[in-house]
Amino acid sequence: MSGNPNPFSDPAAVSDYVHETPRKVPGLADLHKMTTLLLAERAPGAADVLVVGAGGGLEIKAMAEMRPDWRFTGVDPSPAMLDIARKTTLRCVERTHLIHGTAVDAPDGPFDGTVCLLTLHFLEWHERLETLQEIRRRLKPGGVFVAAHHTKIDGQADLWLARSATFAAGPTSAPGHAAASAKAMAERLPLLSQDQEEASFREAGFRQPSLFYAALSFRGWVMTA
């Protein structure tokens, strides 16, 4: 995904993921609740849900607690992150199937809903579009897709990344740490503007991408197949 060469492949580097991510992403617990609500609009009963970028298992755990009748398939390219996901989802292990790979390695489904949180901002345009197309192909007609990640805020991308970095660093961070973190994100993440994001969703075959989550540099959309 990012780093040198990929920090998500290093068990030591991701060991605190479950504890650190809720602190770094504004309103993460509520993002999970909203995601579940949006999927449930089209899948009010038992449902099969695909989670792309499922390493860590946080969204599966949250959705499983709210919807005991849902089943989950998660894919992630990092074995280290999948190890964490297996621990995180122990209470719903009988309803969860985790796979090493990307969207192309996921079962054909079709799935009632698909989720991709905090992942697409790592992907270059061609890889992102391929991922979206693979997700679209695995959804039932009318199935719901929810995505949320860092976005390039038009005209103020550096400012909003800096604000996200400051939020993530917390009040006790060393001076200059947030600025350096924001600079590193800007350099390594191939971010898209909101218009580009929505164009990519439409190009992949999704209908009516609608913004539902905005938190500093993070944006989230819901759309249908």
Side-chain angles (χ1 to χ4, degrees):
M1 289 181 181
S2 65
N4 186 20
N6 178 358
F8 293 103
S9 66
D10 181 358
V14 301
S15 61
D16 290 333
Y17 182 87
V18 168
H19 303 291
E20 289 294 303
T21 303
R23 180 179 65 79
K24 293 180 177 180
V25 180
L28 183 62
D30 286 326
L31 174 59
H32 291 158
K33 291 178 184 178
M34 289 186 286
T35 296
T36 307
L37 179 154
L38 293 167
L39 294 180
E41 289 179 349
R42 297 293 182 98
D48 290 301
V49 176
L50 173 64
V51 180
V52 176
L58 292 172
E59 57 269 71
I60 292 178
K61 178 177 182 288
M63 289 189 288
E65 289 174 350
M66 288 181 273
R67 296 304 306 254
D69 50 352
W70 286 5
R71 296 174 297 274
F72 304 94
T73 298
V75 295
D76 197 281
S78 166
M81 290 294 287
L82 284 176
D83 285 343
I84 295 173
R86 291 185 185 96
K87 297 174 184 176
T88 305
T89 60
L90 276 177
R91 292 188 177 182
C92 56
V93 65
E94 72 285 351
R95 294 186 282 137
T96 302
H97 179 44
L98 297 175
I99 299 169
H100 177 231
T102 62
V104 72
D105 301 301
D108 287 339
F111 293 91
D112 298 282
T114 306
V115 176
C116 186
L117 303 182
L118 313 181
T119 297
L120 290 176
H121 54 221
F122 292 111
L123 306 182
E124 298 287 351
W125 172 267
H126 69 282
E127 190 177 7
R128 183 187 297 224
L129 182 59
E130 179 185 27
T131 298
L132 291 172
Q133 290 170 336
E134 294 293 338
I135 289 171
R136 168 67 181 82
R137 188 170 69 80
R138 287 163 171 76
L139 274 170
K140 294 179 180 178
V144 177
F145 173 45
V146 174
H149 42 267
H150 283 296
T151 299
K152 184 188 296 182
I153 310 303
D154 292 344
Q156 295 183 308
D158 292 344
L159 174 62
W160 285 104
L161 283 174
R163 287 168 172 166
S164 286
T166 299
F167 180 92
T172 61
S173 64
H177 175 80
S181 179
K183 183 175 184 294
M185 283 194 293
E187 291 174 349
R188 75 174 188 260
L189 297 181
L191 303 183
L192 302 182
S193 69
Q194 183 169 322
D195 287 345
Q196 290 171 325
E197 295 273 12
E198 294 178 5
S200 72
F201 297 141
R202 291 191 178 95
E203 186 171 344
F206 291 103
R207 296 185 290 115
Q208 296 181 313
S210 301
L211 187 72
F212 76 94
Y213 168 75
L216 301 178
S217 60
F218 293 95
R219 295 291 184 271
W221 289 266
V222 60
M223 63 210 80
T224 56

